[in-house]
């Protein structure tokens, strides 16, 4: 689930506290590395059904809480989890979670934004 959808999803599904660390000190809802692996025959079949169309949205990054200026130019986006949402109920979809020791975790934001 994309970071900007996680909190509303948790609140709507019985987690009123949202994304908080559990006893391990980590979120039980870890982020992803934005990697997708497709089976080409199934992907080609899905493209025939959808004609390559996926839901899109605009996710502006504002400079501050007044929401009157953008921090950076905004753009039209789509989410990789929308692909499996469009698959038939019998489709095989899964994920792999690696131990933290296997990871490389670059900071996406500048230091001041990451500290918040």
């Amino acid at each position: 689930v994309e970071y900007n959808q996680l909190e509303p999803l948790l609140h709507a599904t019985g987690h009123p506290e949202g994304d908080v660390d559990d006893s391990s000190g980590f979120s039980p809802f870890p982020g992803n590395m934005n990697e997708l692996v497709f089976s080409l025959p199934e992907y080609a079949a899905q493209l025939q059904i959808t004609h390559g169309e996926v839901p899109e949205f605009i996710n502006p990054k504002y400079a501050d809480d007044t929401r009157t200026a953008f921090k950076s130019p905004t753009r039209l986006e789509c989410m990789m989890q929308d692909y499996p949402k469009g698959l038939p109920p019998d489709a095989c979809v899964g994920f792999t979670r690696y131990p933290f020791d296997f990871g490389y975790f670059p900071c996406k934001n500048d230091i001041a934004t990451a500290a918040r």
Side-chain angles (χ1 to χ4, degrees), residues 28 32 34 46 48 56 58-59 64 75 84 88 90 94 97:
N32 66 60
N34 295 324
Q46 187 66 8
Q48 291 295 316
E56 299 171 321
I58 296 174
N59 185 16
D64 57 33
R75 63 188 184 273
D90 61 340
R97 183 173 178 184

Side-chain angles (χ1 to χ4, degrees), residues 42-56:
E42 287 84 354
Y43 182 62
Q46 187 66 8
L47 287 175
Q48 291 295 316
I49 295 167
T50 66
H51 307 287
E53 295 177 5
V54 294
E56 299 171 321

Side-chain angles (χ1 to χ4, degrees), residues 10-56:
L10 292 174
H11 288 224
T13 56
H15 301 275
E17 68 285 354
D19 185 19
V20 295
D21 296 346
D22 63 15
S23 60
S24 72
F26 296 102
S27 169
F29 311 102
N32 66 60
M33 294 188 39
N34 295 324
E35 300 290 332
L36 237 92
V37 178
F38 294 100
S39 171
L40 290 181
E42 287 84 354
Y43 182 62
Q46 187 66 8
L47 287 175
Q48 291 295 316
I49 295 167
T50 66
H51 307 287
E53 295 177 5
V54 294
E56 299 171 321

Side-chain angles (χ1 to χ4, degrees), residues 3-115:
Y3 70 93
N4 65 340
Q5 292 190 346
L6 179 60
E7 201 75 9
L9 175 66
L10 292 174
H11 288 224
T13 56
H15 301 275
E17 68 285 354
D19 185 19
V20 295
D21 296 346
D22 63 15
S23 60
S24 72
F26 296 102
S27 169
F29 311 102
N32 66 60
M33 294 188 39
N34 295 324
E35 300 290 332
L36 237 92
V37 178
F38 294 100
S39 171
L40 290 181
E42 287 84 354
Y43 182 62
Q46 187 66 8
L47 287 175
Q48 291 295 316
I49 295 167
T50 66
H51 307 287
E53 295 177 5
V54 294
E56 299 171 321
F57 69 100
I58 296 174
N59 185 16
K61 310 291 190 277
Y62 293 103
D64 57 33
D65 291 337
T66 65
R67 297 171 67 108
T68 57
F70 295 119
K71 179 178 179 180
S72 59
T74 193
R75 63 188 184 273
L76 194 59
E77 299 182 25
C78 63
M79 292 181 290
M80 57 189 204
Q81 65 262 25
D82 285 339
Y83 171 74
K85 285 179 182 176
L87 295 174
D90 61 340
C92 293
V93 177
F95 72 96
T96 301
R97 183 173 178 184
Y98 289 98
F100 284 116
D101 297 354
F102 290 15
Y104 168 65
F105 308 100
C107 182
K108 176 179 173 179
N109 301 311
D110 59 88
I111 297 295
T113 303

